[in-house]
Amino acid sequence: MQVDERRLREALSKPAEYGEDLDLGEFEQESRERVEVDEDVRRRSLEVGVDLRRASSLTTFLQIDHEIAYRAVQKQFQGDIELMPIQEALERYPWVRELFWNLVSPYADKYTAYNALRPPSGFFLRILEGRRLHMPIQACFFSYSPGIIQSVHNLIVAEPGSEAYIITGCTMRRGDQKGLHIGVTEIFVKPGAKLNYTMIHRWGPNFHVRPRTGIILEESAATSYNYVLLGHVGSFQSKPFTRLEGRGATISMSNIIYLDGSSKMDMGGDCSIAGKNGRAELTTSAVALDRAKLTMRGRILCEADDGRGHISCRGLMLSDEAEIYTIPELISRRMNASLTHEAAIGRISEDQLIYLMSRGLSREEAESLIVRGFLDVSPLNLPSFLEESIKKIIDLAIKGF
Amino acid sequence: MLRVENLHVAVRDRLILKGVSLEVGDGEVHVIFGPNGSGKSTLAMAIIGHPDYRIVSGRIFFDGQDITEKPIDERARMGISIAFQNPPKLHGVKLKDLLARIASENGVGERFLEIVDRLNISQEHLNRYVNVGFSGGEIKRCELAQALASNPKLIILDEPDSGVDVENLELIGRFLSESLRGRSALIITHHGYILRHLKPVKAHVLIDGVIACEGDPDQILNRIMKDGYRWCERCRLMRGV
Ligand SMILES: Nc1ncnc2c1ncn2[C@@H]1O[C@H](COP(=O)(O)OP(=O)(O)O)[C@@H](O)[C@H]1O
Ligand SMILES: [Mg+2]
């Protein structure tokens, strides 16, 4: 899509609809450090599910600040997918230029505008028609230089009948590092394609995050869009949007959130069912500790026959200074649509604790088992090997990394 | 193994047990009968140390130690285990993971899988969350598996046979007759069925928070079957309790 630079410059001063407003001038535009893939980078990537030690055997994309540090396609999948820097894809394919900024508006707010004004960086991933990848594609976006705005734009096309698991980990070099991550992701899921897109994020108290995501699903396409955030984040705001365009499309957006410190998180999920028989499900399990504040905005709009939507939010409060606020919205424009929501926020049940203690677990052990159970990963629809590794990451987060 | 002395227990300021004494020797199986609401589960909860069940007076000794003041988890680690009558659901905690954990912390290791097998708990159930969507009978078997996975010295079974079909009663009964060997047990039950396999040495009848009667399990069960608990009430009057 053609962008209008004058409008972009205007949009640079436009706050986002939700979340804390940031002054972009307080951050660095360019990396000041020479990027190096060292042990720290490897270790922290692993904490967000990206195993760089297996980079040579798994399909991997590693971007540090704005530099593509590593890129490789697993041998057995060469010819099944294309993975390249977005810049390269924009040069090579006119149709990618057409798709670019189609699902997310560059004028939406200062973050998208900033992103659109910069030279694009990020990946282009295309899963070719009918190809089924049973091994995950891993991507890592690493913030390296202190104070930097890491601006990323990814575009994914899952061609008809294809199937893939994508895991993206985002993190940074030092826990106390200042910075801003603006991640634009546009995902096109063609008829009958299946995609599982799972993000694992780990940030710090001085780090701010503004993901901007748009997904479009064609006929019988199915997508799991999963977001896992562990620990502390300065501020976070996102409201990924999915349009279920084709008949019988299915989206499941799941969030697993373990939020501590004085984190401020405003997370949303917005689905619009436009194709007959579309199904949308938004699921959140969130644990709030310390002074963490979480707002959950779920919205499902149904304008198609036999559409179904469900929003569920379960919150576990582990502190009296924390806050969980849920705002579910359901909009139906069809008699035969069925939209539901449920929310429950509470503390750890004493009955459950005593039950586990009667089996010999200490109170602390019982609590941590219940919290881990609460952050159940089964809604993420992951294959068992990924499920296990994500469970381990969550376990580590609960133990305090 | 277990000695309960003149135990008075209150729940939410209401006195439920009003002076219960009993003693279960090493390797002995005892049974507790009593009408609904007589305080059987309350006695079980007091023995395991459930914090909602306040011991007003009296003492509990286990394995030679006074455990009256000990917290629930410590008692469990000392070797007391229970199969609850009405356990809670544990969303997100897989039965398999919980059993494996109980087993590994008590030196049972992989052998918990034998228990699971003998109790006819399927692989599918092992992968489910504890008690979530389990039927009544499944809950009972899952409780038994947990109670045994800790290799306890004393096991308390609170109505392990209620709501279990005949086939599974047979299975549970036979399995228990083997796995209780060398352990002490206190079994709360309404049915005589499960006792066929277990040969308890003594029965205690709890009525209205006191032991109204005790003695040979078969004899007592026969009388209860014939005359109901009225007989025990008379017995209590006779004993002048
Ligand atoms: N957790 C509890 N909260 C309130 N009342 C209780 C609780 N547990 C037991 N009780 C009361 O104590 C009495 C004895 O109950 P219980 O020990 O469960 O009897 P049984 O197991 O013999 O049927 C009943 O009146 C019951 O309502
Ligand atoms: Mg009872």
Side-chain angles (χ1 to χ4, degrees):
Chain A
M1 198 182 91
Q2 243 356 82
V3 291
D4 176 340
E5 196 172 322
R6 197 186 48 83
R7 273 184 74 196
L8 284 180
R9 299 222 170 268
E10 278 168 23
L12 268 182
S13 56
K14 183 176 166 190
E17 192 177 354
Y18 304 111
E20 185 181 274
D21 186 37
L22 301 172
D23 178 356
L24 298 181
E26 282 183 10
F27 298 88
E28 305 287 329
Q29 312 245 348
E30 300 301 332
S31 191
R32 292 197 187 179
E33 293 194 23
R34 236 185 63 84
V35 156
E36 204 184 323
V37 183
D38 54 15
E39 199 42 46
D40 276 357
V41 171
R42 275 189 284 270
R43 183 177 51 81
R44 292 191 75 100
S45 305
L46 197 58
E47 288 172 356
V48 289
V50 175
D51 192 347
L52 295 176
R53 290 165 314 184
R54 293 178 66 199
S56 57
S57 62
L58 277 184
T59 302
T60 302
F61 184 92
L62 169 64
Q63 177 171 332
I64 301 180
D65 292 342
H66 296 107
E67 191 177 318
I68 315 279
Y70 189 84
R71 159 170 68 112
V73 173
Q74 193 175 342
K75 267 212 183 62
Q76 69 184 115
F77 298 128
Q78 279 168 9
D80 292 341
I81 64 170
E82 283 181 358
L83 175 66
M84 64 183 85
I86 187 72
Q87 188 111 37
E88 202 177 311
L90 289 167
E91 283 159 21
R92 193 186 299 182
Y93 296 121
W95 58 271
V96 173
R97 287 199 289 280
E98 280 307 307
L99 296 180
F100 206 57
W101 290 114
N102 241 287
L103 304 181
V104 174
S105 164
Y107 316 110
D109 55 39
K110 58 171 74 168
Y111 310 103
T112 54
Y114 177 88
N115 187 298
L117 282 164
R118 271 195 63 91
S121 76
F123 66 71
F124 166 73
L125 172 66
R126 176 184 182 195
I127 305 126
L128 296 167
E129 183 158 354
R131 309 298 162 73
R132 297 192 170 158
L133 277 71
H134 54 273
M135 295 291 281
I137 296 161
Q138 55 176 7
C140 181
F141 294 90
F142 205 97
S143 284
Y144 197 87
S145 184
I148 196 169
I149 303 180
Q150 186 184 38
S151 174
V152 173
H153 193 149
N154 299 325
L155 196 145
I156 299 166
V157 180
E159 294 194 339
S162 65
E163 237 179 275
Y165 294 93
I166 301 162
I167 179 154
T168 64
C170 292
T171 189
M172 62 213 194
R173 191 151 62 127
R174 265 186 281 281
D176 59 353
Q177 194 171 319
K178 183 180 163 182
L180 168 61
H181 175 88
I182 303 173
V184 175
T185 307
E186 297 183 279
I187 304 177
F188 300 82
V189 192
K190 299 291 179 186
K194 286 200 173 78
L195 196 65
N196 182 303
Y197 190 81
T198 299
M199 287 149 283
I200 305 178
H201 284 193
R202 238 203 100 196
W203 312 102
N206 302 314
F207 210 89
H208 304 270
V209 187
R210 298 292 183 272
R212 298 291 181 258
T213 302
I215 304 171
I216 189 159
L217 303 177
E218 295 187 24
E219 187 169 339
S220 302
T223 293
S224 290
Y225 179 84
N226 304 319
Y227 187 78
V228 180
L229 185 134
L230 303 168
H232 204 159
V233 64
S235 78
F236 175 103
Q237 189 272 318
S238 182
K239 198 177 185 194
F241 174 74
T242 303
R243 183 169 168 85
L244 291 88
E245 183 72 35
R247 289 168 152 253
T250 312
I251 179 83
S252 149
M253 295 172 109
S254 305
N255 303 305
I256 293 184
I257 296 163
Y258 182 83
L259 207 58
D260 65 15
S262 45
S263 301
K264 286 191 284 294
M265 181 172 193
D266 192 307
M267 181 60 168
D270 189 352
C271 300
S272 170
I273 304 174
K276 188 176 155 61
N277 249 319
R279 304 251 177 289
E281 186 162 10
L282 307 180
T283 312
T284 301
S285 304
V287 178
L289 297 88
D290 307 332
R291 295 162 307 286
K293 293 209 170 10
L294 168 68
T295 301
M296 273 305 312
R297 302 172 198 275
R299 182 177 185 272
I300 299 177
L301 162 68
C302 184
E303 297 185 294
D305 282 324
D306 299 316
R308 274 210 241 155
H310 182 63
I311 301 175
S312 88
C313 181
R314 300 189 309 131
L316 189 61
M317 294 287 293
L318 296 186
S319 155
D320 282 333
E321 288 166 279
E323 178 184 295
I324 298 178
Y325 177 22
T326 78
I327 310 166
E329 287 180 77
L330 300 174
I331 306 152
S332 180
R333 298 198 176 128
R334 278 295 175 282
M335 278 193 336
N336 53 14
S338 155
L339 304 180
T340 52
H341 72 76
E342 60 181 329
I345 304 171
R347 54 177 288 165
I348 294 181
S349 134
E350 196 65 19
D351 280 354
Q352 296 182 351
L353 275 180
I354 290 166
Y355 184 62
L356 288 172
M357 289 169 73
S358 80
R359 306 292 183 220
L361 276 69
S362 69
R363 179 166 279 266
E364 294 70 36
E365 290 169 333
E367 273 172 2
S368 107
L369 193 63
I370 291 167
V371 171
R372 262 150 60 200
F374 190 86
L375 298 175
D376 176 25
V377 296
S378 61
L380 308 188
N381 302 316
L382 295 165
S384 56
F385 62 94
L386 272 183
E387 196 172 286
E388 283 310 313
S389 72
I390 291 181
K391 254 196 207 154
K392 274 192 200 125
I393 291 167
I394 294 175
D395 282 0
L396 281 176
I398 293 170
K399 282 185 198 131
F401 284 105
Chain B
M1 181 61 54
L2 174 73
R3 196 166 82 241
V4 173
E5 283 181 7
N6 196 21
L7 200 64
H8 290 69
V9 174
V11 185
R12 295 196 194 131
D13 290 333
R14 200 178 124 212
L15 195 64
I16 308 290
L17 296 187
K18 303 155 187 165
V20 170
S21 301
L22 56 83
E23 187 162 355
V24 180
D26 288 4
E28 284 181 6
V29 175
H30 287 219
V31 58
I32 294 182
F33 296 122
N36 286 331
S38 59
K40 303 182 298 297
S41 293
T42 302
L43 176 60
M45 295 301 163
I47 296 169
I48 66 163
H50 194 301
D52 289 353
Y53 295 75
R54 192 166 54 84
I55 297 178
V56 179
S57 64
R59 308 229 64 90
I60 305 170
F61 295 90
F62 172 70
D63 213 7
Q65 281 190 62
D66 185 342
I67 60 164
T68 318
E69 311 292 333
K70 289 212 190 302
I72 183 165
D73 51 328
E74 204 176 320
R75 294 189 204 189
R77 290 192 293 271
M78 287 173 76
I80 299 179
S81 86
I82 183 163
F84 287 96
Q85 185 180 3
N86 298 309
K89 295 181 173 71
L90 290 184
H91 192 89
V93 180
K94 285 185 180 168
L95 177 57
K96 183 179 60 182
D97 297 341
L98 181 57
L99 285 171
R101 176 147 185 186
I102 296 169
S104 85
E105 286 184 4
N106 291 283
V108 174
E110 292 286 300
R111 273 175 296 138
F112 80 89
L113 289 167
E114 271 167 51
I115 299 172
V116 161
D117 206 41
R118 291 291 309 275
L119 284 169
N120 214 357
I121 296 172
S122 68
Q123 203 60 38
E124 196 260 332
H125 271 91
L126 283 180
N127 279 308
R128 281 214 226 151
Y129 300 141
V130 178
N131 299 329
V132 177
F134 285 21
S135 72
E138 287 162 356
I139 287 180
K140 296 291 171 189
R141 282 181 282 144
C142 155
E143 282 298 304
L144 277 179
Q146 289 182 58
L148 286 164
S150 67
N151 189 24
K153 293 180 185 154
L154 170 70
I155 182 165
I156 299 169
L157 307 176
D158 193 353
E159 302 202 18
D161 45 6
S162 301
V164 180
D165 60 46
V166 179
E167 225 166 288
N168 277 305
L169 266 183
E170 189 66 32
L171 182 103
I172 290 176
R174 259 185 284 127
F175 178 57
L176 277 178
S177 72
E178 285 173 40
S179 44
L180 291 188
R181 238 170 259 152
R183 307 183 204 280
S184 304
L186 200 54
I187 302 175
I188 298 168
T189 178
H190 283 300
H191 305 286
Y193 203 102
I194 195 134
L195 301 181
R196 285 195 208 163
H197 297 275
L198 298 180
K199 307 272 169 292
V201 296
K202 194 170 183 180
H204 313 260
V205 182
L206 197 60
I207 294 182
D208 214 3
V210 295
I211 303 242
C213 163
E214 47 196 14
D216 178 71
D218 285 337
Q219 272 180 14
I220 290 183
L221 185 63
N222 283 337
R223 290 303 289 264
I224 294 172
M225 289 301 188
K226 216 164 76 206
D227 302 328
Y229 284 109
R230 275 174 328 188
W231 170 76
C232 301
E233 303 228 26
R234 251 185 295 137
C235 169
R236 171 163 58 146
L237 292 176
M238 279 178 346
R239 286 174 45 196
V241 175

